[in-house]
Amino acid sequence: MKAAERSRLFLELDLARNGKQTGFIRVPHSVHRSAYGWLPIPVACIKNGEGPRVLMMAGNHGDEWEGQLALGGLIRDLEPAQVRGRLIILPSANFPAAQAGLRTSPIDDGNLNRSFPGDPDGDVTRQIAYFIEHVLLPQCDYAFDFHSGGSSLMYIPSTLCRRDPDPAAMARLLGLMKAFGAPLGWVGSALQGQDRTLTAAARRQGVVSMGTELGGGGQVTPSVLKLAAEGMRRLLAHVGAYVGPVPATPDTRLLTLGGNDYYVYAPDGGVFEPLAELGDEVKRGQPAGRIHFHDTPWRTPALAHFAHDGLVICKRVPGRTERGDCLYHLGSAYPG
Ligand SMILES: [Zn+2]
C-alpha cells in the first residue's frame, strides 16, 4: 500500500480541479457524543492551470492567530484568475487546538509541530501530521508555515528557514525570506529533536519550505496582520503563484540563530521580571531577567543571564514562570 493510502483522513476537495474550492479534511473521531463523527479541519484549494504547487499553512499551533486570520483572508480574497498553479490553504492545521485556543490539542495533548512524520494509526494529532507529510506535501513544491509566538512568547515579526549546505538552495531560501518582507529573517540549524517539525517533513519530501514567527502574546495586532497579508502575496508572487497587485517589499535584516546559548531559560519558578526588551542588543553575561519568589518575597530573586551576544528577537509574555520556561531568544549577525 502506498504511504498516502494509509491515511484515514478524507479530503472533501478535488486537488486536480481548477477554480476555488472550500471544505474540510475529515478526521474520523468516534466519541460518546458522536459515534460516526469526524473533526472538520478547514481547507481551501485555489487552482488555475499549471504552475507552482504551494501549501500555505497556519494553526500548526492552535493559539498562533496571525497566520490563521491572514490565510482566512487569502481564501476569501484570492480569485483563481490571480493564481498560477495551485494553492492548498490550511489555516488551522491542528484544528482541535485552534478551537480550544491552545498550542496543543485538547484531545491528545498533541503538539502538531512535534508530531511529524505522524502515524496513520496514531492519535488525532499524529494522524493529521501523517496526512500533511504523506498526502499533501508530496503534491507540493513549496510549503509555507505561518507561526507566531502564541500565548507564551512575543516575537519581532520574522521569517525563518533552516540552513542549507547547498549554496543555490540557500540563496533560494534567502530570496523567499526577503520577498515576504518581515523586519527580521533568521537562518537556523535544526535543534535537537526538531526532526518532528513541518520544516523537517518538507525536507524529507523534497519540498522547499519557509516559516514565520509573526508576533504572539495570544493576540493579533493591525500592523502584524497587515504584514502577514502583504507578505503572503509577495511570497506567492515571488514563486510565480500569484499575479495580482503586490505592495512594495520592506527590507529584511538577516540573522543567524544558534544553539542553546541563544536561549535564556528560567533558573527557578516564580514571577518573571524582564531586564531586556525586544530589539535590544545584548552582551554575553548581561542580566536578562529576575525570577521573584512571591511565596517568600524576602528571598533574593534568582537572576538569569544572556549566554551569547545578540539581538533580542523573542521574549516571554506571562509573568508566572516555571523553571525551564524560555524567557528570551537571540539572533546574531548573518552569516555568523
Ligand atoms: Zn508555532
Side-chain angles (χ1 to χ4, degrees), residues 61 64 103 147-148:
H61 295 126
E64 300 172 2
R103 177 175 179 82
H147 289 253
S148 61

Side-chain angles (χ1 to χ4, degrees), residues 5-77:
E5 291 167 1
R6 292 184 60 209
S7 175
R8 298 177 187 278
L9 278 56
F10 173 72
L11 175 63
E12 293 181 350
L13 313 182
D14 176 2
L15 298 180
R17 201 166 91 199
N18 280 316
K20 180 169 9 181
Q21 303 169 72
T22 56
F24 301 97
I25 300 164
R26 301 181 180 188
V27 185
H29 193 56
S30 177
V31 291
H32 177 78
R33 198 200 82 249
S34 179
Y36 299 155
W38 43 271
L39 301 168
I41 303 178
V43 62
C45 175
I46 309 177
K47 182 174 186 303
N48 183 16
E50 296 305 307
R53 303 170 305 166
V54 184
L55 174 65
M56 302 281 277
M57 171 174 148
N60 192 337
H61 295 126
D63 61 342
E64 300 172 2
W65 301 113
E66 295 89 335
Q68 299 189 52
L69 297 196
L71 286 183
L74 210 59
I75 293 172
R76 295 190 299 274
D77 296 344

